[in-house]
Structures are given as structure tokens and as C-alpha cells.
Amino acid sequence: MFLDSLLARNPGLADTAADLHRRGEIPPDTYVMDLDAVAENAALLAGEAERLGLSLWFVVKQFGRNPELIRAVARAIPSFAAIDPAEARTLRAAGARAGNLGHLVQIPHRVLPEMLGWRPEAVTVFDLANARAVSAAAQRLGFVQDVLVRLEGPDGSVYPGQEGGVPLSALDAFAEEAERLPGIRIAGVTAFPCVLCDPKTGAPTPTPSFDLALKARELLAARGHQDLKLSAPSATSMASLPLLARLGATHGEPGHALTGTTPLHALDADQPERPAYVYVTEVAHTLADGRPAVFGGGFYPRAHITSALLPRTGRRLPVQGAPAQNIDYYRLLAAPETDGQVRVGDTALLAFRTQVFVTRSTVAVVAGLSSGTPRLTGLYDAQGRAL
């Protein structure tokens, strides 16, 4: 999906990754991350958001909750949106500030005292039971916690595994109950996804969930709530920030833009954010019909992979599809045109849409590419733990 843009915009990363694998410094099933490019992308996003009067909460699940990358992003975008407690702890330990907790995964009730103690800017709640739990925990800690109301998405727009939220039709009743809770203040609304990239053009486009969030904010404002936030996550990038500002959002939550890998970046190599990672694996064996099998572990069902580059020969081979219900022990490439073009142990480079935190991959961080002096600074697992 992103191999063409990577080779055009950040060829040094591809060369460095291949060299690290050839020398045995990184194993197959490794994402190699360009620390400099991630920092540059974060600075671009922060500058544009400031120009437009928007605030940002950054998200890191897509690059493996990596502490080096978190610190680089936090220098430009200090606050994060964490999708679950494990991610929140990693982000905070790396020095970032708690922005929005409960973003996609509600905070378990028994974890609330710990995480509210960090004094996050906002906690997203999906229903009254969670609002009551947040209120009770905040009361015990002696303060009032700002909460964002998560809106239930329209039929057909919610990703499986992400169901939940307050229906717009029930928001008035929800607010009436929540306003009685002494430990919380309704501070705004959110929904997911609020923006998606057009599959043909890549252009960021508001979704029906964005419209729901806008209507919800109007309803809450009519009830007397003031200075309401509207966080509009998904596909937050340099291209979508003007859209968020124009439609009235207050917050964006950049994730893939930090690595230059939104769907728009796959179609438009001239986007300001540069590609900042490449996936490295190697040929494990060859089938009797000539198809090479590369080691898996880092593939993602919605990756939209098209081809793999074999640096030893410069050949690119199509990557064959694989059912999402199967474990990615290996991934098959198309058979080369002639025998001998692929050898066991050959490096293979791929670039595709990923969510590193759900893989069993290694993450390698490389610094110095922008100055022509690349160096490997660390190896980590997919949860950000140093290896």
C-alpha cells in the first residue's frame, strides 16, 4: 500500500532497514521506524493545528507504543489519547501527558483511581454506568473530572468490536442523569470514526458520525453546557485538519499521520508527512510451485498489501492475499518468472497499513537518517518493551 511512497519519499529508510537485516542486527518480522521522520511529522501537525486553533491528542497503537517515538512526538504534541490502560501507562511512563482516556476502550472500574489520579484532560464515557463510576472515583480523589460523551454510531458505520456509546435520541436523558453526578462535568462529545479517506481519491471526508457529534454538542449547549469540546478522531492529518476546523471540531487525534501512512498518503506521495516505517521480513522457504513464503507475525487484515521488494535483486513480487481468520505464520509471494531469482534468507521489504500493537513483531528505531548518519537506537516488542 505504501511501498511506492516510501521508496520515493524516504529511500534511505528502505536501504537502512535492508542493511540492518542483512547484517543480522534485526530479525525478520520487524518494523523499522524512522525517528527523525516521526518527529518532523509531529512538528508539522502541531504547527498546522496551532494555526487553525485546534488541539491535538496523539495516538501510538499503530507504531507499537514505542517509548522513543512517544518522546519524539510529545516534544511537539504533549498530550495523548490512549485506547486502553496498557497504552496509557506506556505513554505516561515515556513522559507524555494524559489527554483523553477511554478513547476506544473504556477504563476498567478498578483502574479508575490510578488513571484519574493522573488528572487527564478528559475521560470518554460510553454510558451512564461508566459515567457513575468515573464520578465516584473522582469524588474519592477530591476533584471533578471532565468527561466526553461517546456517541453511538449510525447503523452500518461502527466497526465490529467497537460497539457502544450513547444514542443521540437518548442523549437528553443521559445528560439529565449525568448532570446530577457530583464527580464529573460534561465537557464535550466524541464519536468514531468522524473522518475517513475516500477510497478512490484518498481525500478526507466527514462521516455521519461527525454529523451526530455536531448535533450532540448543540443539544448539550442548549442544556447550558459551555465551552464544549468535540474530538473528531480518525484520519487526522495535515490534509484533514482544515476540515476539522471548518466543521467545528476542537480536537484531532493523529495516529497514522505521524508515520505518513493514512490512506491518502498511499494515493498522494506529495502529502507533507513523510513515510516513517518499513516492514522487514525474509524468505523462509519456497513452495513446490515456486511461490516464496516469507516469515509473518506482523501482518494485519486491513493492511492492503500489494507487493514486496527483494533488495538483493531489486525485484518486486506481488503479495498474495490471506484469510483474516488464519494466523500469519507466513505470507506467500507470487512465484518469480524464472528459477533462482529468490533465495531462502533473502530480505523482503513491505510497507502497508498496520496496527503494530496487535502483532508479535519487533520494532527497531533508527535515528540520524535525516543527517545521513543512521544508527539503530533500540529494539522493542510490539507493546513498547525494550528487548
Side-chain angles (χ1 to χ4, degrees), residues 99-155:
N100 180 15
L101 304 182
H103 160 70
L104 288 178
V105 178
Q106 291 290 270
I107 303 172
H109 290 191
R110 294 167 186 82
V111 180
L112 281 168
E114 172 196 357
M115 297 199 168
L116 294 190
W118 304 345
R119 300 303 302 266
E121 295 172 43
V123 171
T124 294
V125 293
F126 282 43
D127 58 16
L128 267 173
N130 280 286
R132 291 186 181 111
V134 173
S135 175
Q139 262 196 296
R140 287 193 292 271
L141 291 169
F143 63 87
V144 175
Q145 174 64 55
D146 280 359
V147 299
L148 301 183
V149 183
R150 159 75 173 250
L151 277 301
E152 181 183 64
D155 289 344

Side-chain angles (χ1 to χ4, degrees), residues 188-200:
V189 296
T190 188
F192 190 88
C194 287
V195 178
L196 290 174
C197 294
D198 183 275
K200 292 183 179 179

Side-chain angles (χ1 to χ4, degrees), residues 63-328:
F63 58 63
R65 302 171 170 173
N66 186 275
E68 288 193 63
L69 301 176
I70 290 168
R71 286 191 289 270
V73 173
R75 284 194 287 272
I77 306 171
S79 299
F80 62 79
I83 67 155
D84 60 23
E87 184 163 291
R89 291 186 183 105
T90 301
L91 282 153
R92 187 168 182 269
R97 296 204 300 259
N100 180 15
L101 304 182
H103 160 70
L104 288 178
V105 178
Q106 291 290 270
I107 303 172
H109 290 191
R110 294 167 186 82
V111 180
L112 281 168
E114 172 196 357
M115 297 199 168
L116 294 190
W118 304 345
R119 300 303 302 266
E121 295 172 43
V123 171
T124 294
V125 293
F126 282 43
D127 58 16
L128 267 173
N130 280 286
R132 291 186 181 111
V134 173
S135 175
Q139 262 196 296
R140 287 193 292 271
L141 291 169
F143 63 87
V144 175
Q145 174 64 55
D146 280 359
V147 299
L148 301 183
V149 183
R150 159 75 173 250
L151 277 301
E152 181 183 64
D155 289 344
S157 71
V158 179
Y159 298 135
Q162 296 185 22
E163 298 87 354
V166 179
L168 185 64
S169 61
L171 181 59
D172 206 49
F174 172 93
E176 186 172 352
E177 291 291 328
E179 287 160 3
R180 298 192 183 106
L181 298 173
I184 63 170
R185 182 182 80 90
I186 295 175
V189 296
T190 188
F192 190 88
C194 287
V195 178
L196 290 174
C197 294
D198 183 275
K200 292 183 179 179
T201 66
T205 306
T207 68
S209 291
F210 203 149
D211 187 52
L212 272 181
L214 290 167
K215 291 176 179 175
R217 185 169 63 177
E218 290 175 6
L219 186 154
L220 293 173
R223 295 184 63 88
H225 295 281
Q226 299 179 347
D227 301 321
L228 291 166
K229 298 178 175 67
L230 193 164
S231 186
S234 190
T236 304
S237 68
M238 291 289 286
S240 69
L241 287 174
L243 173 71
L244 299 190
R246 177 170 57 82
L247 292 180
T250 62
H251 287 70
E253 300 183 11
H256 277 286
L258 297 168
T259 49
T261 53
T262 76
L264 176 58
H265 291 83
L267 297 172
D268 183 357
D270 293 326
Q271 287 302 301
E273 303 98 330
R274 283 199 304 137
Y277 68 73
V278 63
Y279 182 66
V280 182
T281 186
E282 71 178 61
V283 176
H285 58 275
T286 300
L287 277 60
D289 60 11
R291 287 178 295 168
V294 297
F295 290 106
F299 295 100
Y300 172 63
R302 295 171 59 210
H304 303 293
I305 306 168
T306 55
S307 65
L309 172 66
L310 304 175
R312 182 180 63 82
T313 61
R315 293 295 303 268
R316 282 177 68 164
L317 295 178
V319 179
Q320 299 194 335
Q325 64 266 29
N326 289 82
I327 298 170
D328 63 330

Side-chain angles (χ1 to χ4, degrees), residues 348-373:
L349 302 182
L350 302 91
F352 49 84
R353 186 171 180 82
T354 187
Q355 297 287 335
V356 173
F357 83 115
V358 299
T359 73
R360 53 188 190 275
S361 302
T362 299
V363 175
V365 179
V366 172
L369 272 165
S370 60
S371 60
T373 55

